[in-house]
Amino acid sequence: MRLVLFVEGTTGSALQALWGEEIPKQLGLLPFDRVVGFTKGHLVAMSNENMKLKHRTSTILVGFDQLLARELDKKTFDCAVVAWDLVPAWDSGSDASACRWKETLLLYEGLARSKVVPEVWSDRARDRLEELRSRAEPSHRSRLPQPAPQTVLGVCMDPEFEGWLLSEAGVKSALGLNPLKK
């Protein structure tokens, strides 16, 4: 199974090693085939284009679905893991608060409606969206989703991890990934 991690934020060689190799190793997982960085703007742009949602603005013209399609064209893979955090909320132009459930639904809605990703990917996103919407409560799931061919697994994270990166250069130095120049 070839897995590609799409992670919100920058992904230089140091963060490629952290996200693609070290974190999976610490979790007992296989490394990702590659790590692709994106911004919250990619997700918002996909929402704008595919769903015409109110209060959504973005300076990024490429939606996340277009980014996914481009990466599939570069080198095919089986499953995309998409990791983003709650801050800022997608709907930063309104009074809506950050909501993991809402953002996860927005990811799958955008992919399900996409006309640029291969049809099997949007079909699988639609299936996942239906499963999510069928729950009585967001936490009522029968099992954890597993990587499968032509699927996207969304991982919406609490911003605690990002809080460690208040001094990104310091964290990189502490991890031996990009020592600070003295």
Side-chain angles (χ1 to χ4, degrees):
M1 175 84 44
R2 293 163 302 188
L3 298 170
V4 171
L5 173 64
F6 290 82
V7 63
E8 181 187 5
T10 59
T11 55
S13 61
L15 291 177
Q16 174 85 18
L18 177 66
W19 282 106
E21 299 166 23
E22 292 302 318
I23 290 175
K25 183 170 71 177
Q26 296 302 317
L27 296 173
L29 304 171
L30 293 174
F32 289 98
D33 288 288
R34 67 183 187 270
V35 178
V36 179
F38 71 93
T39 69
K40 190 73 60 92
H42 289 100
L43 299 170
V44 173
M46 179 178 66
S47 296
N48 274 337
E49 186 174 321
N50 291 320
M51 294 177 276
K52 307 297 185 223
L53 295 175
K54 296 178 184 177
H55 308 295
R56 308 254 189 256
T57 60
S58 174
T59 57
I60 304 290
L61 298 178
V62 176
F64 180 79
D65 56 336
Q66 294 171 313
L67 179 63
L68 176 63
R70 277 191 210 162
E71 290 299 319
L72 283 164
D73 285 343
K74 283 182 188 177
K75 185 176 179 186
T76 191
F77 51 90
D78 300 305
C79 180
V81 177
V82 181
W84 74 97
D85 64 32
L86 285 168
V87 179
W90 284 20
D91 200 356
S92 58
S94 76
D95 60 356
S97 61
C99 176
R100 173 180 286 113
W101 183 248
K102 179 180 175 184
E103 291 189 6
T104 300
L105 292 176
L106 285 171
L107 171 68
Y108 288 108
E109 286 174 3
L111 291 170
R113 292 182 177 158
S114 176
K115 302 296 185 212
V116 296
V117 297
E119 190 173 350
V120 66
W121 287 79
S122 59
D123 289 345
R124 296 275 167 84
R126 192 173 303 104
D127 294 344
R128 178 76 174 135
L129 180 61
E130 288 173 15
E131 185 275 322
L132 292 169
R133 286 182 172 161
S134 71
R135 297 179 185 178
E137 295 286 328
S139 61
H140 292 175
R141 63 176 165 215
S142 58
R143 62 178 176 79
L144 286 174
Q146 299 296 310
Q150 293 86 36
T151 61
V152 170
L153 298 177
V155 181
C156 183
M157 303 174 288
D158 285 325
E160 283 86 9
F161 180 75
E162 194 172 66
W164 293 1
L165 300 178
L166 292 176
S167 172
E168 188 171 345
V171 172
K172 286 180 181 180
S173 177
L175 294 172
L177 297 172
N178 187 15
L180 293 173
K181 295 181 180 178
K182 296 180 180 180

